[in-house]
Amino acid sequence: MIKQAIIPLAGLGTRMLPLTKVLPKEMWPLGYKSILENILDECFDAGIEDVIFVISKNKHLIKQYFKKNKSLENIIKNKPDILKSLKYLNKISNKIRFVYQDKPRGLGHAVLCAERFIESKYFLLLLPDDIIKGKNCSKELSKINKKKNSSVVAIRKVKKKEVNRYGIIGIENNNDFKINYMVEKPSIKTSPSQYAIIGRYLLNKSIFKFLKKQKSGRLGEIQITDAMNLMLKDENFYGCRFRGKYLDCGTIEGYIKSFKEFNN
Ligand code: UTP
């Protein structure tokens, strides 16, 4: 059973500025909860016991939100539904740890910042921009990990013209989606397939070794896709075509669609 998860939250959220200037997008509502709490529900339902949030100084509101607040419980003690939600929030805060990324040096670097907390052989990595509704994607990844004893990423078929917006995988065959190549934002001409990596990863902690080998790219960022591409030369890696509905909460248009989906 996978017990630990990393949730990187230290990005700048530039695509949703100025709305993200003060309130991090992860705290925006989706249904009765924030985007981040929806992600946490997926984690806990999949058996995760220890969650590591990678934040920056600009994201201190996230830390504040998950800080225990007993005085609020006293104020609303006559409203049982709200009290229940607050108590639940206090309870889950025991399972969350925080680590800081000093500068937004890319997703790969954010994951490296959490290295010292990872104890088990495998851990989950969840990107809150990607919501998967209806089925628990983390559980689906865990099942494949158990069967194949290897790392797994969630994948989804995208339109040809969209491949240059995603990390894309090359596969050995369509039966079990064994991956033989990964590339970040390829051109339409050079893309190895139309299968895009979505923000759920179940990784062997050997990924840290490969992340450390990465040189910063043009914008000073360390890409996780490049590290995974090195890793799959050494060990097996599989894709998981998940069954739930994919919702993109990383852009304003995507967020509005997702909000409607949760509220109809
Ligand atoms: P994105 O590349 O989507 O960046 O990061 P972003 O900051 O969220 O949004 P835009 O593109 O500027 O609008 C994917 C995930 O990795 C985290 C982000 O918080 C997000 O969850 N991340 C990214 C970090 O934690 N640190 C980084 O340096 C970069």
Side-chain angles (χ1 to χ4, degrees):
M1 192 84 159
I2 313 298
K3 300 279 182 213
Q4 293 191 289
I6 299 176
I7 306 184
L9 302 160
L12 297 172
T14 53
R15 286 169 294 166
M16 290 159 106
L17 279 170
L19 286 168
T20 46
K21 210 174 150 193
V22 175
L23 185 64
K25 59 184 171 185
E26 298 84 4
M27 298 316 303
W28 293 16
L30 208 50
Y32 287 94
K33 294 181 177 184
S34 62
I35 291 176
L36 189 49
E37 286 162 284
N38 276 288
I39 296 281
L40 285 172
D41 282 352
E42 178 181 328
C43 279
F44 297 138
D45 180 49
I48 294 295
E49 290 172 0
D50 179 20
V51 183
I52 298 127
F53 283 176
V54 184
I55 58 167
S56 65
K57 281 193 193 128
N58 295 336
K59 299 280 188 90
H60 70 277
L61 278 177
I62 297 178
K63 199 167 180 184
Q64 210 171 323
Y65 187 86
F66 287 95
K67 204 169 155 188
K68 279 201 182 100
N69 189 335
K70 285 278 174 197
S71 57
L72 271 182
E73 282 186 21
N74 291 333
I75 293 168
I76 51 99
K77 58 177 180 270
N78 297 328
K79 297 185 174 142
D81 285 350
I82 304 177
L83 186 61
K84 202 172 148 202
S85 309
L86 265 184
K87 282 197 161 158
Y88 179 69
L89 198 58
N90 281 342
K91 196 174 130 199
I92 60 172
S93 65
N94 288 331
K95 299 184 183 179
I96 301 168
R97 292 193 266 180
F98 293 85
V99 65
Y100 282 86
Q101 185 186 26
D102 56 349
K103 281 190 192 132
R105 293 175 53 201
L107 172 59
H109 181 259
V111 173
L112 260 182
C113 291
E115 178 184 13
R116 68 192 147 100
F117 292 116
I118 299 298
E119 289 150 13
S120 47
K121 183 172 176 194
Y122 290 101
F123 67 92
L124 266 171
L125 168 65
L126 300 96
L127 308 191
D129 276 4
D130 295 341
I131 292 282
I132 296 151
K133 194 168 175 265
K135 293 272 175 210
N136 188 319
C137 184
S138 296
K139 270 188 181 170
E140 291 185 63
L141 259 56
S142 293
K143 261 189 209 156
I144 299 179
N145 162 263
K146 208 169 164 193
K147 200 164 136 197
K148 305 279 192 185
N149 192 21
S150 72
S151 299
V152 193
V153 283
I155 52 166
R156 158 177 174 264
K157 201 166 186 178
V158 296
K159 292 187 186 125
K160 229 180 188 166
K161 62 173 189 209
E162 291 175 340
V163 290
N164 54 6
R165 288 174 21 200
Y166 293 91
I168 301 287
I169 61 162
I171 46 170
E172 273 179 21
N173 61 62
N174 271 321
N175 299 331
D176 61 1
F177 289 94
K178 184 157 188 271
I179 303 174
N180 55 20
Y181 183 54
M182 291 193 199
V183 57
E184 187 62 28
K185 302 186 177 70
S187 67
I188 297 169
K189 267 191 180 164
T190 59
S191 186
S193 77
Q194 283 171 248
Y195 290 111
I197 301 169
I198 300 304
R200 297 291 182 278
Y201 310 67
L202 199 165
L203 296 170
N204 188 323
K205 72 171 173 186
S206 61
I207 189 69
F208 296 119
K209 179 176 78 192
F210 297 102
L211 280 169
K212 283 175 197 157
K213 285 186 186 165
Q214 296 302 304
K215 291 200 181 76
S216 301
R218 198 167 41 92
L219 302 170
E221 295 200 339
I222 295 179
Q223 300 288 355
I224 197 156
T225 313
D226 298 339
M228 292 192 299
N229 189 46
L230 274 186
M231 187 172 164
L232 59 84
K233 293 187 173 87
D234 269 19
E235 46 189 281
N236 289 341
F237 217 123
Y238 288 87
C240 167
R241 281 193 85 177
F242 54 90
R243 287 175 297 162
K245 182 164 186 178
Y246 166 74
L247 301 169
D248 172 14
C249 289
T251 62
I252 301 279
E253 300 74 25
Y255 171 73
I256 291 170
K257 265 193 200 162
S258 310
F259 187 86
K260 285 183 185 157
E261 182 75 32
F262 267 77
N263 292 285
N264 66 22

